[in-house]
C-alpha cells in the first residue's frame, strides 16, 4: 500500500498498527492474524517481525511469457 519511494519511513507500520487495532476493537474474538508479503518487500517483512508475526509458510508463483 505504500509507494516505493516512501517505504522505510514508518508509514507501513502506522497503517499496519491502525488495521490491527481496528480489528481488535471490532472483532475482539479474533485470536490469530495471517499476513502475506512478497519476499523482496524487506520493509514490510521487518514490520511484521517487529509486531511479533512469525513465518508460517512460503508460497511461490511461477510465470512464463509466451512470445
Amino acid at each position: 500500500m505504500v509507494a516505493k519511494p516512501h517505504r522505510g519511513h514508518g508509514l507501513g507500520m502506522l497503517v499496519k498498527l491502525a488495521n490491527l487495532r481496528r480489528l481488535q476493537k471490532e472483532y475482539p474474538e479474533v485470536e490469530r492474524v495471517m499476513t502475506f508479503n512478497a519476499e523482496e518487500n524487506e520493509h514490510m517483512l521487518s514490520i511484521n517481525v517487529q509486531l511479533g508475526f512469525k513465518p508460517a509458510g512460503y508460497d511461490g508463483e511461477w510465470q512464463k511469457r509466451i512470445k
Side-chain angles (χ1 to χ4, degrees):
M1 287 179 39
V2 179
K4 202 169 195 172
H6 302 288
R7 291 182 186 161
H9 301 286
L11 184 56
M13 175 68 88
L14 292 174
V15 171
K16 189 93 170 196
L17 277 173
N19 284 327
L20 289 170
R21 287 179 178 148
R22 183 174 179 186
L23 173 71
Q24 198 171 38
K25 180 181 176 185
E26 295 186 20
Y27 301 95
E29 71 279 3
V30 171
E31 297 178 0
R32 185 173 295 151
V33 175
M34 293 181 68
T35 187
F36 301 89
N37 297 101
E39 185 177 355
E40 62 271 8
N41 190 344
E42 296 174 19
H43 296 297
M44 191 51 81
L45 291 172
S46 173
I47 287 168
N48 287 336
V49 169
Q50 291 174 59
L51 292 175
F53 285 89
K54 297 188 183 339
Y58 295 91
D59 188 14
E61 293 184 27
W62 294 67
Q63 176 181 359
K64 178 178 173 120
R65 294 183 183 205
I66 308 288
K67 296 182 182 183

